Amino acid sequence: MTTDTGGPTAEVSVFAAELERWRDVRGYSRTSLAREMGFDRSYISKVLSGTEKPSESFAQHAEKALRAGGALLAAWRTYDADRPAKSRPPLLPPDPSAGTGGLVVDHDDAVLRYQDGVYRLTQRRHLVNHGSEPITRYMIRISVDRYPGDPERSNRLYSENPLTWEEIGLRAWHGQDRANPMTWTAHHDRDALKEVWLLFSGEHGHFPLYPGESCWIEYEYTVTETHWGNWFQRAVRLPTRTLSVCLDFPAALAASVWGLHTSMTAQAMPFPTAIAREDTGDRHIFSWSCGDPPLHARYRLEWDFRGRPDHTDGPPPKPSETMAALGIIQDTDPQLRRPARRFDLPAEAEDARRVVTALNSAAERVAQAHTFGKGMGIAAPQIGIDRAAAIVRTPDGESITLFNPTIIETAGDTDEQYEGCLSFFDVRGQVPRPHVIHVEHTTIDGTIKITVFERGDARLVAHEVDHLHGTLYVDRMRDGVQPIPVEQYRGTGTSWTYS
C-alpha cells in the first residue's frame, strides 16, 4: 500500500536525477528533449524538478529518446524511501594507491555507428579533476582487430595495409555542443594501434581542467570494416561512475549482439544488465549501461550481421566451415599438434587476461551458431594462440578458466561417450574417459591449485587439457573405432548420461 503525501516521493527524485544526468550525457536542452519524447516542455521541467511523478510510459519514452541502456527504466522501478533525493552518492576521489592520479570519469559514453562499410565512433566523457594539479592532456587509444580469432591473419593484414591517420580522421572537442575544438598529438603510431594525447588547448587558447572542476570532452573517428572486426571493447582504465555504449546498425543487416564482462580475475561473465534494442524502421540501436564498473574491467560487445548476403546465398555451410568462419582453427593446422606455451604467472597476468577475453569472445560467436547441450570448451591453440589457457562452460552455466592445466590423477569408472570438437565439427567420436580427474593448474595470481572434476565436467575439462598438450580426441578412441558423420549423430542438444 502507498500513501500520497501530496509532494514528490524519494523514488521520483531518484528518477529525476537520473533523467537529468542522461539529458546532460546526450546534450539535450529541456525543449529538445521534450520534442524528442513527444511531451510538453513544462511537463519535462516538472519531472526534472521532482514535482511531477512520471508514468512508466514516460520512463519508456525517456529511455528510448536518451538510449540509456535500461538505466532510466531501472531508476523508475526503484522504490526505496531511505534513499536521498539524489540518485547516486557523491563522486569520491580515487584511491591514490591505484596510480590513476586525481582524474575520475563521471560518465563514459560511446556511440558506434555502422554504415556502408564504415564504423564511426563518437566518444563522450565527463571528467572530474579530484587531484591537486591542473590537467592539460588526456590519452585515448584507437585499437583495431579485423580477425580477433586469427592473430596471424590480423598481423598480416595490418602489416600489408596499416591503419592510417587519414582513414581515422580524428577530431576532438572540449565542452558541450562541440564549442571548443581540441588539438592532439600522437603518442604511439603502430599498424593496428594509435595512442593519442588530446590537449586541453585549441584555437580559443588553453583551457586546463583545474582541481575541483569538471568538463565534457568528445572525440570522433572512423575506421573501415577492412580494419575493424565485429567487436567493440570498453576497458576501464580510470575510476568511472557510469559506462554506456550504443551500437547503431542498419536494420537490413539483422544484427545479433551479445556481450561479456572480464574482470581482474580473468573470469568472464555476462553483462550485469541486459542489452536493450530499439527498432527505428531503418536502424536497429542496441544500448547498454552499467554503474560503478570496477577498475581494469573489460566490457566487450560482439555482433553478427545475419542479414548479409553471405548468410543467405547458396547451400548451408558444413559445420566445420561454420567453425572456421568463426575463427576456429581446423585439424589440418599443425598448431593443434604442438604443446601450448605455459604462462609465467603472475608476471604474465595481463597476457593471460587478454587470451581469456579472446577465448570467451570466440565462445560467444560459436554459441550463436550451435546449441551445446553437453556444455562446450575452447583451448587457446584452437583460435591460433600458442598459450596454455582454456575455458569450459558447463551445461549448468558454470564458467571454468584454466591456465597451465595438467591431469595428475584419475579415479572412478571409465565410460565411453560421444564427443565433438570445434576443430573438426563434421564428425562425432566415442571417447573413453574416467569419471573423475584431478587437474593441477595455475591461478591468475600464480597460485598452484588442484581441482577435482567429475563426470560431464571431467570429460569437458579433459578434452580441453588434451588440446593444450597437442592431443585430439581421436587419439583417445579405441583401436578400430572411427568417428561418425554428424548427420548420423542423435545426441545434439542433449547432455551426457551417467548411471
Side-chain angles (χ1 to χ4, degrees):
M1 184 179 72
T2 60
T3 301
D4 188 353
T5 61
T9 60
E11 62 269 17
V12 174
S13 296
V14 166
F15 176 82
E18 197 69 10
L19 180 62
E20 181 68 21
R21 159 183 285 275
W22 282 95
R23 184 183 70 82
D24 191 36
V25 169
R26 297 291 173 229
Y28 282 127
S29 66
R30 295 191 176 190
T31 299
S32 60
L33 177 58
R35 183 169 56 249
E36 187 73 19
M37 291 179 58
F39 282 78
D40 185 76
R41 184 193 182 283
S42 63
Y43 185 79
I44 297 286
S45 297
K46 289 178 181 178
V47 172
L48 287 171
S49 65
T51 59
E52 185 73 33
K53 181 176 180 179
S55 65
E56 183 174 11
S57 176
F58 179 93
Q60 290 171 342
H61 278 82
E63 177 71 40
K64 179 178 179 180
L66 295 169
R67 306 188 306 278
L72 286 168
L73 281 174
W76 185 85
R77 292 169 182 149
T78 298
Y79 295 94
D80 183 354
D82 294 330
R83 294 182 71 175
K86 292 295 184 182
S87 64
R88 310 186 70 143
L91 192 64
L92 299 177
D95 180 359
S97 65
T100 58
L103 193 61
V104 168
V105 180
D106 182 47
H107 197 119
D108 182 317
D109 179 69
V111 178
L112 183 66
R113 178 182 172 88
Y114 175 84
Q115 185 67 44
D116 299 329
V118 177
Y119 290 98
R120 178 179 297 277
L121 177 69
T122 303
Q123 182 79 56
R124 301 185 75 235
R125 290 192 176 98
H126 189 225
L127 305 178
V128 183
N129 185 358
H130 277 293
S132 58
E133 300 292 333
I135 293 171
T136 59
R137 62 182 185 172
Y138 181 85
M139 177 171 285
I140 64 170
R141 174 179 292 183
I142 303 170
S143 179
V144 296
D145 189 352
R146 180 64 182 86
Y147 307 108
D150 193 341
E152 290 185 6
R153 190 179 180 188
S154 279
N155 291 337
R156 186 165 58 250
L157 166 68
Y158 298 116
S159 176
E160 298 172 355
N161 183 12
L163 183 68
T164 65
W165 296 107
E166 289 75 19
E167 177 180 341
I168 292 169
L170 176 65
R171 297 181 297 165
W173 302 269
H174 173 275
Q176 293 281 28
D177 303 322
R178 300 187 172 186
N180 300 309
M182 299 175 73
T183 55
W184 56 269
T185 181
H187 179 62
H188 285 300
D189 182 1
R190 297 172 183 160
D191 290 345
L193 170 70
K194 313 293 184 189
E195 288 186 340
V196 174
W197 285 112
L198 299 183
L199 306 179
F200 285 72
S201 62
E203 60 184 70
H204 299 294
H206 294 264
F207 34 84
L209 183 62
Y210 287 101
E213 291 185 344
S214 65
C215 74
W216 281 99
I217 65 168
E218 180 176 354
Y219 58 92
E220 186 174 87
Y221 60 85
T222 59
V223 178
T224 66
E225 64 180 348
T226 302
H227 284 129
W228 197 328
N230 293 9
W231 65 279
F232 181 47
Q233 180 169 285
R234 309 298 300 118
V236 183
R237 295 187 173 90
L238 290 170
T240 300
R241 167 175 276 184
T242 301
L243 186 71
S244 57
V245 180
C246 283
L247 304 178
D248 184 348
F249 297 143
L253 292 179
S256 172
V257 177
W258 59 93
L260 281 174
H261 162 215
T262 304
S263 67
M264 282 288 287
T265 64
Q267 294 294 329
M269 298 163 284
F271 276 5
T273 53
I275 300 173
R277 170 176 157 171
E278 176 196 351
D279 298 345
T280 64
D282 63 340
R283 309 290 299 182
H284 288 170
I285 300 175
F286 301 84
S287 58
W288 172 81
S289 67
C290 73
D292 303 312
L295 201 61
H296 306 302
R298 292 181 174 89
Y299 298 89
R300 186 182 180 98
L301 294 101
E302 296 196 358
W303 53 90
D304 183 22
F305 290 144
R306 298 187 173 184
R308 284 194 186 278
D310 55 7
H311 280 277
T312 56
D313 290 351
K318 295 179 180 179
S320 60
E321 292 172 342
T322 297
M323 294 303 152
L326 294 172
I328 305 299
I329 283 179
Q330 296 303 293
D331 60 339
T332 55
D333 194 307
Q335 180 163 335
L336 293 180
R337 288 298 186 176
R338 294 194 296 264
R341 187 159 56 94
R342 293 171 62 87
F343 285 99
D344 178 14
L345 295 171
E348 293 183 305
E350 189 61 25
D351 288 342
R353 292 189 186 97
R354 280 196 291 267
V355 172
V356 170
T357 296
L359 285 169
N360 280 288
S361 296
E364 286 298 309
R365 294 194 298 272
V366 169
Q368 297 291 315
H370 186 82
T371 300
F372 293 89
K374 300 175 178 64
M376 67 175 296
I378 299 182
Q382 290 183 279
I383 58 172
I385 300 176
D386 180 26
R387 299 312 302 264
I391 63 168
V392 168
R393 296 183 178 183
T394 72
D396 298 330
E398 181 186 1
S399 181
I400 300 168
T401 301
L402 296 169
F403 300 112
N404 307 334
T406 301
I407 298 173
I408 60 173
E409 185 179 344
T410 63
D413 296 333
T414 296
D415 72 339
E416 194 172 56
Q417 303 207 42
Y418 278 103
E419 295 182 15
C421 181
L422 301 179
S423 293
F424 45 103
F425 213 46
D426 297 331
V427 298
R428 302 292 185 269
Q430 284 192 311
V431 186
R433 300 275 191 192
H435 281 197
V436 180
I437 61 173
H438 297 242
V439 179
E440 182 181 273
H441 57 103
T442 313
T443 64
I444 196 78
D445 64 1
T447 303
I448 304 296
K449 290 185 63 177
I450 296 175
T451 302
V452 179
F453 300 97
E454 299 181 355
R455 298 194 171 189
D457 292 352
R459 183 172 289 274
L460 286 166
V461 169
H463 182 113
E464 300 311 321
V465 172
D466 276 352
H467 269 303
L468 298 179
H469 292 269
T471 300
L472 303 180
Y473 80 65
V474 291
D475 304 329
R476 301 286 187 188
M477 296 175 65
R478 289 184 292 108
D479 291 342
V481 178
Q482 297 296 322
I484 64 171
V486 67
E487 292 81 7
Q488 298 177 18
Y489 179 61
R490 297 292 178 263
T492 298
T494 63
S495 61
W496 287 303
T497 57
Y498 292 88
S499 58

mmCIF file of all heavy atoms in Angstrom, residues 359-380:
data_model
loop_
_atom_site.group_PDB
_atom_site.id
_atom_site.type_symbol
_atom_site.label_atom_id
_atom_site.label_comp_id
_atom_site.label_asym_id
_atom_site.label_seq_id
_atom_site.Cartn_x
_atom_site.Cartn_y
_atom_site.Cartn_z
ATOM 1 N N LEU A 359 39.249 -15.987 -25.857
ATOM 2 C CA LEU A 359 38.575 -17.281 -25.778
ATOM 3 C C LEU A 359 37.079 -17.110 -25.548
ATOM 4 O O LEU A 359 36.255 -17.786 -26.182
ATOM 5 C CB LEU A 359 39.187 -18.121 -24.652
ATOM 6 C CG LEU A 359 40.562 -18.730 -24.936
ATOM 7 C CD1 LEU A 359 41.161 -19.308 -23.661
ATOM 8 C CD2 LEU A 359 40.470 -19.811 -26.001
ATOM 9 N N ASN A 360 36.716 -16.228 -24.647
ATOM 10 C CA ASN A 360 35.291 -16.023 -24.376
ATOM 11 C C ASN A 360 34.578 -15.356 -25.545
ATOM 12 O O ASN A 360 33.402 -15.650 -25.805
ATOM 13 C CB ASN A 360 35.122 -15.202 -23.096
ATOM 14 C CG ASN A 360 35.264 -16.058 -21.852
ATOM 15 O OD1 ASN A 360 34.397 -16.864 -21.536
ATOM 16 N ND2 ASN A 360 36.377 -15.898 -21.157
ATOM 17 N N SER A 361 35.273 -14.495 -26.252
ATOM 18 C CA SER A 361 34.679 -13.912 -27.444
ATOM 19 C C SER A 361 34.418 -14.991 -28.489
ATOM 20 O O SER A 361 33.356 -15.025 -29.121
ATOM 21 C CB SER A 361 35.598 -12.839 -28.021
ATOM 22 O OG SER A 361 35.743 -11.770 -27.120
ATOM 23 N N ALA A 362 35.385 -15.896 -28.668
ATOM 24 C CA ALA A 362 35.190 -16.996 -29.612
ATOM 25 C C ALA A 362 34.045 -17.892 -29.161
ATOM 26 O O ALA A 362 33.235 -18.351 -29.980
ATOM 27 C CB ALA A 362 36.479 -17.803 -29.741
ATOM 28 N N ALA A 363 33.954 -18.142 -27.852
ATOM 29 C CA ALA A 363 32.867 -18.980 -27.335
ATOM 30 C C ALA A 363 31.508 -18.364 -27.603
ATOM 31 O O ALA A 363 30.538 -19.062 -27.934
ATOM 32 C CB ALA A 363 33.059 -19.214 -25.832
ATOM 33 N N GLU A 364 31.412 -17.037 -27.479
ATOM 34 C CA GLU A 364 30.144 -16.370 -27.766
ATOM 35 C C GLU A 364 29.781 -16.480 -29.244
ATOM 36 O O GLU A 364 28.624 -16.706 -29.601
ATOM 37 C CB GLU A 364 30.214 -14.898 -27.345
ATOM 38 C CG GLU A 364 30.149 -14.685 -25.845
ATOM 39 C CD GLU A 364 28.846 -15.184 -25.263
ATOM 40 O OE1 GLU A 364 27.768 -14.806 -25.776
ATOM 41 O OE2 GLU A 364 28.889 -15.974 -24.307
ATOM 42 N N ARG A 365 30.774 -16.315 -30.113
ATOM 43 C CA ARG A 365 30.496 -16.452 -31.540
ATOM 44 C C ARG A 365 29.997 -17.863 -31.862
ATOM 45 O O ARG A 365 29.024 -18.045 -32.608
ATOM 46 C CB ARG A 365 31.761 -16.160 -32.363
ATOM 47 C CG ARG A 365 32.254 -14.732 -32.288
ATOM 48 C CD ARG A 365 33.270 -14.436 -33.378
ATOM 49 N NE ARG A 365 34.474 -15.265 -33.277
ATOM 50 C CZ ARG A 365 35.536 -14.960 -32.557
ATOM 51 N NH1 ARG A 365 35.548 -13.851 -31.836
ATOM 52 N NH2 ARG A 365 36.601 -15.739 -32.539
ATOM 53 N N VAL A 366 30.663 -18.856 -31.294
ATOM 54 C CA VAL A 366 30.297 -20.241 -31.561
ATOM 55 C C VAL A 366 28.919 -20.555 -30.987
ATOM 56 O O VAL A 366 28.107 -21.248 -31.620
ATOM 57 C CB VAL A 366 31.370 -21.185 -30.975
ATOM 58 C CG1 VAL A 366 30.898 -22.632 -30.988
ATOM 59 C CG2 VAL A 366 32.678 -21.046 -31.745
ATOM 60 N N ALA A 367 28.624 -20.042 -29.791
ATOM 61 C CA ALA A 367 27.330 -20.313 -29.153
ATOM 62 C C ALA A 367 26.169 -19.733 -29.949
ATOM 63 O O ALA A 367 25.041 -20.216 -29.841
ATOM 64 C CB ALA A 367 27.321 -19.757 -27.725
ATOM 65 N N GLN A 368 26.436 -18.686 -30.730
ATOM 66 C CA GLN A 368 25.385 -18.132 -31.583
ATOM 67 C C GLN A 368 25.054 -19.059 -32.747
ATOM 68 O O GLN A 368 23.976 -18.974 -33.334
ATOM 69 C CB GLN A 368 25.825 -16.771 -32.141
ATOM 70 C CG GLN A 368 26.052 -15.706 -31.093
ATOM 71 C CD GLN A 368 24.785 -15.244 -30.419
ATOM 72 O OE1 GLN A 368 23.786 -14.994 -31.080
ATOM 73 N NE2 GLN A 368 24.811 -15.133 -29.111
ATOM 74 N N ALA A 369 25.999 -19.951 -33.091
ATOM 75 C CA ALA A 369 25.836 -20.788 -34.272
ATOM 76 C C ALA A 369 25.405 -22.211 -33.965
ATOM 77 O O ALA A 369 24.968 -22.931 -34.866
ATOM 78 C CB ALA A 369 27.158 -20.825 -35.055
ATOM 79 N N HIS A 370 25.519 -22.645 -32.688
ATOM 80 C CA HIS A 370 25.228 -24.049 -32.372
ATOM 81 C C HIS A 370 24.740 -24.151 -30.929
ATOM 82 O O HIS A 370 25.173 -23.398 -30.056
ATOM 83 C CB HIS A 370 26.494 -24.894 -32.564
ATOM 84 C CG HIS A 370 26.268 -26.364 -32.396
ATOM 85 N ND1 HIS A 370 25.759 -27.155 -33.401
ATOM 86 C CD2 HIS A 370 26.466 -27.189 -31.334
ATOM 87 C CE1 HIS A 370 25.668 -28.405 -32.974
ATOM 88 N NE2 HIS A 370 26.090 -28.446 -31.730
ATOM 89 N N THR A 371 23.862 -25.105 -30.684
ATOM 90 C CA THR A 371 23.366 -25.382 -29.333
ATOM 91 C C THR A 371 24.211 -26.479 -28.693
ATOM 92 O O THR A 371 24.405 -27.545 -29.286
ATOM 93 C CB THR A 371 21.895 -25.835 -29.373
ATOM 94 O OG1 THR A 371 21.119 -24.784 -29.957
ATOM 95 C CG2 THR A 371 21.383 -26.135 -27.976
ATOM 96 N N PHE A 372 24.705 -26.221 -27.492
ATOM 97 C CA PHE A 372 25.586 -27.163 -26.807
ATOM 98 C C PHE A 372 24.901 -27.687 -25.547
ATOM 99 O O PHE A 372 25.020 -27.101 -24.468
ATOM 100 C CB PHE A 372 26.917 -26.494 -26.453
ATOM 101 C CG PHE A 372 27.745 -26.126 -27.654
ATOM 102 C CD1 PHE A 372 27.600 -24.891 -28.266
ATOM 103 C CD2 PHE A 372 28.649 -27.021 -28.198
ATOM 104 C CE1 PHE A 372 28.348 -24.549 -29.384
ATOM 105 C CE2 PHE A 372 29.403 -26.698 -29.318
ATOM 106 C CZ PHE A 372 29.243 -25.456 -29.910
ATOM 107 N N GLY A 373 24.192 -28.789 -25.673
ATOM 108 C CA GLY A 373 23.510 -29.360 -24.520
ATOM 109 C C GLY A 373 24.445 -29.990 -23.517
ATOM 110 O O GLY A 373 24.097 -30.150 -22.348
ATOM 111 N N LYS A 374 25.637 -30.367 -23.952
ATOM 112 C CA LYS A 374 26.606 -31.011 -23.066
ATOM 113 C C LYS A 374 27.622 -30.030 -22.498
ATOM 114 O O LYS A 374 28.537 -30.415 -21.787
ATOM 115 C CB LYS A 374 27.346 -32.118 -23.832
ATOM 116 C CG LYS A 374 26.446 -33.225 -24.373
ATOM 117 C CD LYS A 374 27.226 -34.205 -25.220
ATOM 118 C CE LYS A 374 26.330 -35.326 -25.723
ATOM 119 N NZ LYS A 374 25.273 -34.814 -26.634
ATOM 120 N N GLY A 375 27.481 -28.767 -22.837
ATOM 121 C CA GLY A 375 28.498 -27.797 -22.476
ATOM 122 C C GLY A 375 29.480 -27.645 -23.619
ATOM 123 O O GLY A 375 29.376 -28.309 -24.660
ATOM 124 N N MET A 376 30.455 -26.762 -23.447
ATOM 125 C CA MET A 376 31.430 -26.524 -24.509
ATOM 126 C C MET A 376 32.730 -26.018 -23.912
ATOM 127 O O MET A 376 32.782 -25.577 -22.751
ATOM 128 C CB MET A 376 30.909 -25.483 -25.506
ATOM 129 C CG MET A 376 30.763 -24.086 -24.921
ATOM 130 S SD MET A 376 30.293 -22.813 -26.114
ATOM 131 C CE MET A 376 31.725 -22.819 -27.180
ATOM 132 N N GLY A 377 33.769 -26.080 -24.709
ATOM 133 C CA GLY A 377 35.056 -25.556 -24.278
ATOM 134 C C GLY A 377 35.873 -25.134 -25.475
ATOM 135 O O GLY A 377 35.640 -25.588 -26.601
ATOM 136 N N ILE A 378 36.823 -24.248 -25.257
ATOM 137 C CA ILE A 378 37.759 -23.811 -26.296
ATOM 138 C C ILE A 378 39.132 -23.648 -25.659
ATOM 139 O O ILE A 378 39.265 -23.062 -24.582
ATOM 140 C CB ILE A 378 37.321 -22.481 -26.943
ATOM 141 C CG1 ILE A 378 35.951 -22.612 -27.613
ATOM 142 C CG2 ILE A 378 38.346 -22.031 -27.980
ATOM 143 C CD1 ILE A 378 35.486 -21.339 -28.303
ATOM 144 N N ALA A 379 40.144 -24.171 -26.348
ATOM 145 C CA ALA A 379 41.529 -24.000 -25.912
ATOM 146 C C ALA A 379 42.208 -22.958 -26.792
ATOM 147 O O ALA A 379 41.868 -22.804 -27.977
ATOM 148 C CB ALA A 379 42.269 -25.329 -25.993
ATOM 149 N N ALA A 380 43.168 -22.249 -26.237
ATOM 150 C CA ALA A 380 43.813 -21.150 -26.956
ATOM 151 C C ALA A 380 44.391 -21.568 -28.306
ATOM 152 O O ALA A 380 44.271 -20.814 -29.282
ATOM 153 C CB ALA A 380 44.879 -20.514 -26.070
#
